[in-house]
Amino acid sequence: MMKKYSVVIYPSQAVIAAIKTMKELLKTKIDWYSSCNSVAHITICEFSLSESEIDKVKQKLFKVCDTFTPFQVSLDHFGAYENSGAFFIAPHENSKKELKPIMKKTQETLRSLKLKKSDDPHLSIGRKLTPENLKIASQLFTTIDLDFLCCEIVLRELDPIKKQFFVIDTFSFNGNEVAEFVQGSLF
């Protein structure tokens, strides 16, 4: 059976709680909106796959995450994608420079799958907002200063009934060197 999966970075529990409070505040101003109930995350990619093949994906994610080294992420401003109605928290430029290679290497590791990729790291507050609701969000939230240790990637599966993703596995950043294959000589 085909299932939908996503590969994401979760911030710390404290940041998740802070963003949940922000989402609840926005909900009191504009009512229900897309992603108002989703747990704060930075999307790396999404894909659909047969349940029987997910173990291969887990092995690939374990292998690539084993080479990543944990680093601090600073979230310091808000932004919007007006064409899709998304309002989000964005990382500081230095954090973005560290997040992008993690996202790219993870996507390359899973390139055999048909991926829906994200190449701009951000944490959505709301998606599919009307222009009016985007304006309300940008007036409601003007300053932000959060940070967390990025030390793992999370694999989630979509619950088709609740229409929410739930965690099925976590892959830690262990900072191990990639073993380079060296061509030996027989003579």
Side-chain angles (χ1 to χ4, degrees):
M1 183 170 110
M2 294 293 275
K3 293 190 175 187
K4 189 171 183 178
Y5 298 94
S6 72
V7 179
V8 302
I9 294 169
Y10 273 172
S12 65
Q13 287 303 313
V15 171
I16 287 172
I19 293 172
K20 182 178 182 180
T21 301
M22 294 168 70
K23 288 181 175 206
E24 288 168 354
L25 178 59
L26 183 59
K27 195 174 170 185
T28 66
K29 304 289 184 195
I30 66 172
D31 294 322
W32 185 92
Y33 60 90
S34 284
S35 78
C36 67
N37 295 320
S38 71
V39 175
H41 64 277
I42 297 172
T43 300
I44 297 174
C45 61
E46 292 181 2
F47 56 91
S48 294
L49 190 67
S50 165
E51 191 176 10
S52 63
E53 297 178 80
I54 198 65
D55 282 341
K56 291 177 191 164
V57 169
K58 288 180 180 183
Q59 289 169 359
K60 288 178 179 183
L61 289 172
F62 172 80
K63 208 171 188 177
V64 73
C65 288
D66 191 50
T67 67
F68 297 150
T69 301
F71 59 94
Q72 278 297 125
V73 172
S74 171
L75 305 165
D76 68 351
H77 63 284
F78 293 99
Y81 301 127
E82 294 186 15
N83 58 342
S84 65
F87 183 77
F88 58 85
I89 302 170
H92 180 276
E93 203 54 45
N94 291 338
S95 295
K96 190 182 254 195
K97 285 178 186 166
E98 292 202 64
L99 285 163
K100 281 190 166 195
I102 299 290
M103 295 169 71
K104 191 169 175 67
K105 284 181 186 168
T106 303
Q107 292 163 353
E108 285 171 4
T109 297
L110 302 177
R111 67 182 170 271
S112 62
L113 304 172
K114 188 177 177 187
L115 299 178
K116 179 181 168 190
K117 300 186 260 189
S118 173
D119 58 0
D120 188 29
H122 64 279
L123 285 106
S124 293
I125 299 295
R127 294 183 303 112
K128 301 178 187 170
L129 299 177
T130 64
E132 298 79 30
N133 287 345
L134 266 177
K135 186 176 181 187
I136 291 168
S138 65
Q139 291 171 341
L140 199 57
F141 306 113
T142 55
T143 60
I144 188 88
D145 183 18
L146 298 170
D147 58 71
F148 68 94
L149 181 67
C150 181
C151 60
E152 62 189 16
I153 282 178
V154 177
L155 176 63
R156 308 181 309 166
E157 181 182 311
L158 182 67
D159 180 327
I161 294 154
K162 292 182 181 175
K163 302 216 182 303
Q164 289 290 322
F165 283 99
F166 61 94
V167 175
I168 59 170
D169 215 335
T170 303
F171 305 91
S172 297
F173 295 0
N174 298 319
N176 290 319
E177 297 273 327
V178 180
E180 295 281 331
F181 177 74
V182 179
Q183 179 73 43
S185 174
L186 291 173
F187 302 103

